[in-house]
Each structure stands twice: as structure tokens, then as C-alpha cells.
Amino acid sequence: MSRLQTLTLTDFADGLNLESTPFGVSESETPGMLNIEVGKRVGFETRKGWTRWNTADIAEQTTWDPRNHHMHQLASGNSELYITNNVASGEIHAAGNDAVFVDLSIPCNASPHLADFASWGDDCYIATGSTLTSWKRNADGTPATIADASLGYNDDYTTPVGGRFPYADYCVPHAGYMFTAVIKEAAGVGGSPGGTMLNRIRWSPPNSPEDWATNAYLDVEVGGGRITAIRSFQDHLVIFKTDSVWALYGYDLASWQLRQVSRSIGCPSPAAVSSSPSAVYFYSSSGYGGIYGYSGRDVVELTNRLRPAFQGISSTRYNDVWVTWADNRLWCCIPWEKDNEASGSSVFVFDPDTGEQGSWVLHRPALGEL
């Protein structure tokens, strides 16, 4: 008597698994989830198509090599999208609701992302690198330089001066403060010999992003390497370094507390970090390499089933990984293509609400490659 019977699979809720052989894939996984969406109630379906947001090319330059991006929401309901481009020339392009990009003619050279952005009301602050002047773009779209804070720190919080901002690689608002990282310092300030402090963080007074005090800084030398990104999450600031992650708690100079999140993984650039209301997601090139999630306590690897894809990323392509939270999913663009890791690009999409531990699907954009 035959013991074989047919099995109909309509639920691939656990999504893509590149790590296992076909015989090791569970009934709720698949080794070939290309251009497929996993539904919570309908099983799986073909993904929706792609379309261009803007009808014209973003830049007239022959070299299009984007390094960072930022969406700035205005009180009017309009939005502005900023993109940095081309390490060789250092450009910042911006577009409003009309999706027409213009070159802001703002020089930038922060490595590897060229510039970082921080929304503060209708103003957008732009940290262009520790050797270049920072900028602010007002709601009317007018960009203006901001004087170097290190040339005139204001130690009197009761008398704001304004009009100053550190030369820095990174910036982010958090808990009413403006934070910057990788700072240019004048000789003698905080024991600095003068020049770029790769592990220094500075913060403004509360609700005053253009005032900075002499001693309002913290050097995060522990863990080695250098700071590579900073992000605000819940009640603390997350500090990424080359091979470590740290959390800064507190509200002022007397109460700041630095807590270790990880000493084995880090992040190569701010373009490889994004967050949802419940977690910070980031790419780490350390160890096997992969995407990790941090919910405020521990760090969890999310790509253990996708390791063949991330092991194919060479050390020269770490900065070509993009991580973005959108439409309640995590979108990870990496320079990998099955059977041809040297070229091409793939977009892995993670849904934390599908499957027992979330699920991945693979999208292959129809246009262009990294």
C-alpha cells in the first residue's frame, strides 16, 4: 500500500530561504521567492509593478552614484526629498512635490555618504562633512551657510545667540536637542589637537539647534573604530560605529549614560540604517554580514536564511547597501544577483508581521543596477 499522498501548498508565510537546500526548506518557505508578495490571508501573489517617481532624469551629470537620502516633511503637508550624489564632485539634489530635482550647489564630502540631514520644523539642517561649512535650507527653499560653532561656542543657555552649527559628518534631532557627530574642533577644545574628532558627539541646548556650548560633547572611543551613523530611537540615541553599537540615555551633561548594544557588529554608513516605530534596522558588514533589528534591548539577525546573498558582497561594495523602512516593510537593496554576485542588484523586502519570525521576498528592479 502506498504511503505517498499529495500536499497542496498555498501558504509560504515564512518566505524566502536561500540558506537551505531544497530538501531542507520547510513547508512554509521557498528557495525561489522572486517578484512575489506574501499575503497574510491570501497566501502569495505576484508583486505590483514599479514606476518612476519623476519623469525626467535626476541629474544632468554623467555620473549618477547616490550616497544618501532624506525625506523632509513640511508643516504645509508638502515634502522635500534630498539625495547626495557622486563622491568625486559632492552634490546635493532636492525635489519638492513636483518631483523635479535641482542641484543645490552645496559642496559636501562626508565619507561615505557625502552629507547628512536633520529636519527641525520647516528647516532642514545639512551636515556636509567635518571640513566644510554646514547649511540650513528654509521652508521657502533658500539654502544658507551656518557659521562654525567651534569658533564661537555659547556657554550661556539663558542668552541664545544662534546662527552656529558644528562642522560635522552626521546630524539628527533627539529629545529636543540637535546632535552632531564626527566633529571639527579648534585646537585645545576638549583636549583636541585640532581637526576632525572621529568619535566625538555634540549636542545643542534644548530647543536651540543653532547654539552650542564648549563642554557639551562626549567622546565615544570605547569599541574602537569610528562613528558611522547616529539615530534617534524611543528614549535614547543609537550610535553606530565600524564594529559596535551603543545607546546614549539621559537628558543633559550630568545624566548621559552610554550603554553597550553590541561589540561585534556595526554599520558602514547612514544609508544602511532605517527605523520603524518599534525597531531600528541596519546592515552590518561584520562577520557573515547581514541585516539586524534592534528593538531597544538586544540585536537580532534577520537574514540568517539569506546569508548566501550577503556573503557575496565584497568589502569594496559595503557602502552600496541601502536600508529603508516604507509601507510597513523593510526594503534592503544590496549589490547581489544570484549566480552573478559581481554585478547587478536585488531588493530584499522584509515583513515583520508575516510568518513566525517575519518573512523575506526578493524583488528584482527592472531598470538599472548598483
Side-chain angles (χ1 to χ4, degrees):
M1 180 178 68
S2 174
R3 295 180 180 273
L4 298 177
Q5 60 181 0
T6 60
L7 177 64
T8 301
L9 297 177
T10 58
D11 178 12
F12 287 106
D14 287 320
L16 184 65
N17 187 339
L18 300 177
E19 181 71 4
S20 301
T21 66
F23 295 101
V25 175
S26 73
E27 294 179 356
S28 59
E29 296 176 337
T30 171
M33 186 72 78
L34 176 61
N35 294 340
I36 293 294
E37 296 282 5
V38 177
K40 296 180 177 64
R41 297 180 178 86
V42 298
F44 58 95
E45 59 186 359
T46 304
R47 73 163 172 83
K48 299 178 177 65
W50 297 73
T51 186
R52 291 185 61 156
W53 180 58
N54 58 319
T55 56
D57 289 339
I58 292 178
E60 297 177 357
Q61 288 79 3
T62 56
T63 300
W64 179 241
D65 183 28
R67 297 291 89 201
N68 198 13
H69 69 288
H70 174 72
M71 181 66 77
H72 176 54
Q73 300 290 340
L74 299 171
S76 63
N78 294 329
S79 60
E80 296 172 339
L81 177 62
Y82 294 86
I83 296 179
T84 65
N85 175 56
N86 195 353
V87 172
S89 57
E91 308 156 6
I92 300 177
H93 302 265
N97 285 15
D98 58 3
V100 177
F101 280 86
V102 295
D103 189 340
L104 298 183
S105 298
I106 296 177
C108 53
N109 65 3
S111 178
H113 56 292
L114 294 178
D116 203 13
F117 307 86
S119 296
W120 190 284
D122 277 351
D123 296 329
C124 183
Y125 290 89
I126 307 174
T128 59
S130 61
T131 63
L132 293 175
T133 304
S134 297
W135 290 68
K136 178 176 72 172
R137 194 167 189 239
N138 302 316
D140 63 2
T142 303
T145 58
I146 311 177
D148 181 8
S150 70
L151 300 179
Y153 286 126
N154 176 24
D155 296 326
D156 183 2
Y157 284 8
T158 64
T159 308
V161 175
R164 298 191 176 104
F165 204 87
Y167 283 24
D169 280 10
Y170 310 98
C171 58
V172 66
H174 170 67
Y177 300 82
M178 179 68 79
F179 279 81
T180 57
V182 183
I183 307 295
K184 171 193 170 185
E185 292 283 25
V189 177
S192 168
T196 299
M197 304 291 288
L198 296 176
N199 286 305
R200 178 160 292 187
I201 289 178
R202 280 196 168 276
W203 54 89
S204 70
N207 303 312
S208 185
E210 296 183 27
D211 273 286
W212 303 80
T214 306
N215 295 322
Y217 72 88
L218 175 68
D219 290 330
V220 190
E221 300 291 352
V222 64
R226 56 160 291 174
I227 293 175
T228 55
I230 53 175
R231 288 289 185 272
S232 175
F233 180 63
Q234 296 179 354
D235 62 345
H236 58 282
L237 185 76
V238 184
I239 303 167
F240 294 92
K241 299 187 69 176
T242 312
D243 291 299
S244 62
V245 184
W246 304 85
L248 183 65
Y249 292 86
Y251 298 95
D252 54 33
L253 183 61
S255 65
W256 295 128
Q257 294 183 0
L258 191 66
R259 183 180 74 84
Q260 173 184 307
V261 175
S262 174
R263 288 288 295 268
S264 59
I265 56 175
C267 184
S269 85
V273 184
S274 191
S275 60
S276 73
S278 59
V280 176
Y281 300 100
F282 63 98
Y283 164 72
S284 176
S285 58
S286 308
Y288 290 109
I291 304 297
Y292 293 80
Y294 165 69
S295 59
R297 292 185 60 85
D298 299 324
V299 174
V300 177
E301 183 187 358
L302 304 176
T303 48
N304 56 314
R305 290 174 287 179
L306 306 180
R307 282 181 179 169
F310 287 87
Q311 289 174 333
I313 302 175
S314 69
S315 59
T316 60
R317 304 295 302 277
Y318 290 159
N319 295 325
D320 290 330
V321 176
W322 295 70
V323 176
T324 299
W325 178 263
D327 196 24
N328 293 319
R329 295 185 180 184
L330 184 69
W331 302 72
C332 307
C333 183
I334 70 171
W336 175 86
E337 184 176 347
K338 188 176 182 180
D339 302 324
N340 186 17
E341 288 85 353
S343 63
S345 62
S346 297
V347 178
F348 290 94
V349 185
F350 179 70
D351 185 346
D353 298 323
T354 302
E356 294 183 2
Q357 299 176 335
S359 65
W360 289 95
V361 296
L362 172 60
H363 288 181
R364 186 65 47 73
L367 300 174
E369 59 184 38
L370 291 173

